[in-house]
Amino acid sequence: MPKREISQLTLYGDSISGNCLKALWVAKYTNTSYDWVEMDLLKGDTQTEEFLAINPVGQVPLARWPDGRVLPQSNAIMLYLAEQTGADLIPDDAFQRAQMQSWLFWEQYTHEPAIAVRRFKKHYLKLADEDIDPELMAKGRRALGTMEMLLNYSDYLVGDKLSLADIACVAYTRWAHEGGFDINEFPAVRRWVARIETDLGLEHAHPELSHGDD
Ligand SMILES: N[C@@H](CCC(=O)N[C@@H](CS)C(=O)NCC(=O)O)C(=O)O
């Protein structure tokens, strides 16, 4: 099937959002040409009439093309860009592809709602720990523990190379410390974060990760 040219993609996102950065990283990784529209979540940019007319859900990231197509949801945007460009971020093997998707669903249902939400409340809303639902810490630590079990034996979440599974899951894991999580409790996760940041050409978000694989 001929690959559709992805030109003039506009990505709406806030740079403090891991979900938004996932879409940005994949656009860069796949050499997709894009314009970035910075949206300030904290100032309510996603709730303006103008933005709600484009995305009634009122969330970023949002991908938009000049022909009128719009695509919300970080993982859908990543999948589309990777598929359309033929980038090496989706395993060829059908089972590994399903494993990758399994991580994408897990990230959105289990990981992000605990780790990203706790980070937002603690780091951006500046709530005291006692004012944050304790379940978020418990659920987030369980999610980090799940990754730790696998990453004890593997450098990547699926197979032996970078895939969208790693990109989705690293987005908020690399900022887990801002949510009050101690990533040093999860050394294999810590090494994996540094590895994926290096693969994506990112600066290390956690001060201690600048040492890389150790
Ligand atoms: N499942 C969505 C989540 C999107 C989401 O929660 N976006 C947040 C920023 S991370 C947002 O736009 N919040 C603004 C609002 O809800 O008003 C995705 O992965 O794209």
Side-chain angles (χ1 to χ4, degrees):
M1 200 170 65
K3 301 288 178 197
R4 188 202 286 253
E5 181 68 24
I6 303 184
S7 61
Q8 293 172 292
L9 160 68
T10 302
L11 285 173
Y12 296 79
D14 187 327
S15 311
I16 68 165
S17 153
N19 284 324
C20 297
L21 292 185
K22 288 180 206 170
L24 179 66
W25 295 334
V26 174
K28 287 185 177 165
Y29 192 92
T30 58
N31 293 317
T32 301
S33 89
Y34 66 90
D35 293 315
W36 176 262
V37 178
E38 183 72 21
M39 304 279 286
D40 191 332
L41 283 171
L42 296 166
K43 286 199 178 133
D45 284 356
T46 53
Q47 303 306 314
T48 62
E49 249 179 63
E50 189 193 355
F51 186 71
L52 289 171
I54 310 170
N55 181 16
V57 178
Q59 288 185 334
V60 282
L62 183 76
R64 186 187 193 192
W65 288 270
D67 61 9
R69 288 176 301 146
V70 290
L71 186 64
Q73 295 295 332
S74 56
N75 291 351
I77 298 168
M78 291 201 305
L79 276 163
Y80 181 73
L81 297 182
E83 253 181 42
Q84 293 303 113
T85 56
D88 194 18
L89 290 171
I90 300 178
D92 291 332
D93 175 77
F95 185 70
Q96 287 194 344
R97 213 156 50 242
Q99 286 181 308
M100 179 197 77
Q101 285 162 345
S102 170
W103 282 110
L104 299 187
F105 290 118
W106 177 82
E107 183 264 338
Q108 284 287 293
Y109 189 73
T110 303
H111 180 292
E112 192 257 21
I115 296 177
V117 170
R118 194 173 202 287
R119 166 183 179 254
F120 191 74
K121 289 180 187 289
K122 186 175 174 68
H123 194 69
Y124 290 101
L125 301 183
K126 310 274 181 220
L127 295 186
D129 285 342
E130 55 271 25
D131 295 329
I132 301 177
D133 178 359
E135 270 299 298
L136 293 180
M137 176 55 83
K139 285 182 181 163
R141 290 188 73 253
R142 259 199 314 275
L144 293 169
T146 301
M147 291 196 294
E148 180 74 10
M149 276 191 275
L150 181 102
L151 293 167
N152 267 319
Y153 303 99
S154 175
D155 285 348
Y156 294 96
L157 290 176
V158 178
D160 56 5
K161 60 184 183 195
L162 180 73
S163 74
L164 296 181
D166 300 293
I167 299 179
C169 291
V170 87
Y172 287 104
T173 306
R174 67 196 285 267
W175 279 331
H177 57 287
E178 294 180 354
F181 298 93
D182 181 4
I183 201 161
N184 292 315
E185 283 184 56
F186 308 93
V189 171
R190 198 191 62 194
R191 289 192 296 275
W192 164 84
V193 168
R195 186 176 308 123
I196 305 307
E197 287 178 328
T198 300
D199 286 355
L200 293 174
L202 308 176
E203 276 188 31
H204 298 294
H206 191 292
E208 289 178 32
L209 294 183
S210 55
H211 302 300
D213 281 19
D214 55 15

